Amino acid sequence: YRQCASCKRRYGCAQPYPLHVSRRPADGRCRYAGTLSLAQTPRVVVSSLVLWQGKGAVRRMRASTWTEAGRGHALALGTILVWATTFIASTIALRTLSPVELLAARMVVAVVALLVAYPKRFHTKTRKHELYLMGAALCGVTLYFLFENWALTYTNSSNCSVIISTAPFFVAMATRLFLKEERLNRWFFVGFVIAMVGVSMVSFAGRVLRLNPLGDGLCVLAAMCWAGYSVFIRKLEGFGYNTLGLTRRVFLYGLLFLAPVGAVTGVDFRVQDLLAPATLGSVLFLGLVASALCFVTWNTAVRLIGPVRTSVYIYLTPGVTIVFAWLILGDPINPLAVGGALLTLMGLWLS
């Protein structure tokens, strides 16, 4: 065995199943890179495992790997199904609250919920990990939601949904550039193009394309911020942090970074606006389910299947939003949107 001096994790060719791989970055600490599938495992390692523990070890490794991957895909899909409904809830809440007030309210609700679920104190192992948490909060909570909410005040939701759906592309580029752990093949880019065509068909079915440089630019910035969040969260995986405590710390830093924005833009908060039944229900849903629960499930999916495979489920957001709008609001579904949804699923499968 070889053992990391920082986290005391053993790693090497003789490690029991499920086979784990740890890479040594420049700082000398090993970084958990996930569970390898049997197809990704070097042949000499599989042979050593067979000689050491028998063929049953390989079968158990394959079953464990598939179980983790299936759980990761299920968590990512469930998270997207919930996040697709946040456009409806945000639209209702923004009738009485400003974007900054809505974001602050949902983060406070999320922090309280995570504090109840995980009341223990959360400690980081190094100062660098604390900086990673601050970067994740700034990119994935404060800036992402601010850019998205501000964009909706300048451009329509169709443009915003299409541009936000480019987030998997930025996640893949950032992961390859900063983490060096995701090798992108041509099928990822083919699937990206097909999915974007399908997303455009879904979003603009029966509508007129109207570009707004400021609003569309804010959507691009939001997608890029989500890529930064994915990179920071991935850097923290493998160090044994509790997902509930980690997510709670991210939202606390998000509130801290939001305070200067509220001071600059000005906040005219009134309690009666928040206590309106429709607004209160939307805020509770956004805070408890879409933030506290879904950020935990999303971070778990990133740990199990990686940031790129998790992020491609974002392609489904416009299609799922249209289905929920049809079920909840009674909005009609255009046949062009059905064809676009099929193309989106094809692009998701290819990616």
Side-chain angles (χ1 to χ4, degrees):
Y1 290 104
R2 290 176 294 167
Q3 191 174 50
C4 174
S6 175
C7 65
K8 308 301 181 184
R9 178 180 288 113
R10 290 179 175 182
Y11 62 101
C13 294
Q15 177 133 359
Y17 73 92
L19 189 65
H20 289 181
V21 168
S22 295
R23 299 175 182 174
R24 279 184 176 272
D27 58 5
R29 299 184 180 90
C30 82
R31 184 179 66 217
Y32 176 58
T35 303
L36 291 177
S37 66
L38 196 62
Q40 296 172 309
T41 307
R43 189 171 300 175
V44 62
V45 178
V46 175
S47 301
S48 301
L49 191 63
V50 171
L51 292 175
W52 182 35
Q53 289 189 334
K55 294 183 179 179
V58 178
R59 289 195 295 269
R60 289 191 293 270
M61 185 181 78
R62 181 191 290 116
S64 175
T65 301
W66 287 352
T67 301
E68 287 192 356
R71 189 155 56 98
H73 287 289
L75 289 173
L77 178 60
T79 303
I80 288 299
L81 290 178
V82 174
W83 279 350
T85 64
T86 58
F87 287 100
I88 301 173
S90 297
T91 302
I92 296 174
L94 287 173
R95 294 172 182 171
T96 54
L97 300 177
S98 69
V100 176
E101 293 170 350
L102 175 59
L103 181 55
R106 69 181 290 181
M107 282 197 289
V108 169
V109 173
V111 169
V112 173
L114 291 171
L115 185 61
V116 172
Y118 186 76
K120 299 179 181 179
R121 294 188 63 182
F122 181 80
H123 299 280
T124 55
K125 298 178 180 179
T126 65
R127 186 174 298 178
K128 181 181 289 187
H129 294 177
E130 201 72 35
L131 294 177
Y132 289 159
L133 287 171
M134 296 173 68
L138 181 63
C139 293
V141 178
T142 306
L143 292 180
Y144 174 81
F145 287 113
L146 281 178
F147 287 149
E148 184 182 83
N149 291 341
W150 282 336
L152 288 173
T153 62
Y154 294 101
T155 187
N156 55 54
S157 59
S158 300
N159 290 28
C160 189
S161 63
V162 171
I163 298 174
I164 292 295
S165 297
T166 62
F169 177 78
F170 292 109
V171 171
M173 294 295 102
T175 304
R176 182 61 180 167
L177 181 62
F178 295 106
L179 300 181
K180 309 294 184 183
E181 66 178 33
E182 294 283 356
R183 181 172 296 178
L184 305 177
N185 55 31
R186 66 177 183 273
W187 291 113
F188 173 82
F189 296 100
V190 172
F192 170 75
V193 173
I194 294 176
M196 290 311 302
V197 172
V199 168
S200 301
M201 292 171 61
V202 170
S203 299
F204 297 116
R207 299 179 178 89
V208 179
L209 174 61
R210 295 174 180 172
L211 300 179
N212 185 292
L214 179 57
D216 297 342
L218 290 172
C219 290
V220 173
L221 291 176
M224 295 174 67
C225 287
W226 189 255
Y229 172 80
S230 301
V231 170
F232 284 119
I233 289 297
R234 184 61 170 177
K235 281 182 173 290
L236 290 167
E237 298 298 342
F239 290 100
Y241 291 122
N242 181 275
T243 306
L244 292 173
L246 185 145
T247 307
R248 186 185 68 200
R249 181 65 63 86
V250 168
F251 279 112
L252 282 173
Y253 278 129
L255 275 172
L256 181 64
F257 292 134
L258 186 63
V261 179
V264 172
T265 59
V267 176
D268 185 19
F269 178 73
R270 292 180 296 179
V271 178
Q272 57 269 26
D273 293 337
L274 179 62
L275 295 181
T279 303
L280 183 60
S282 298
V283 170
L284 290 177
F285 170 76
L286 292 172
L288 294 175
V289 182
S291 296
L293 176 62
C294 286
F295 267 79
V296 171
T297 57
W298 186 266
N299 293 340
T300 305
V302 170
R303 176 174 58 84
L304 293 175
I305 61 177
V308 175
R309 291 184 179 88
T310 305
S311 64
V312 294
Y313 282 92
I314 297 176
Y315 294 149
L316 298 177
T317 303
V320 176
T321 302
I322 288 179
V323 172
F324 277 107
W326 172 63
L327 292 174
I328 299 174
L329 304 178
D331 293 346
I333 296 180
N334 193 292
L336 185 63
V338 177
L342 296 177
L343 282 179
T344 302
L345 292 175
M346 182 184 299
L348 172 64
W349 180 73
L350 290 174
S351 294

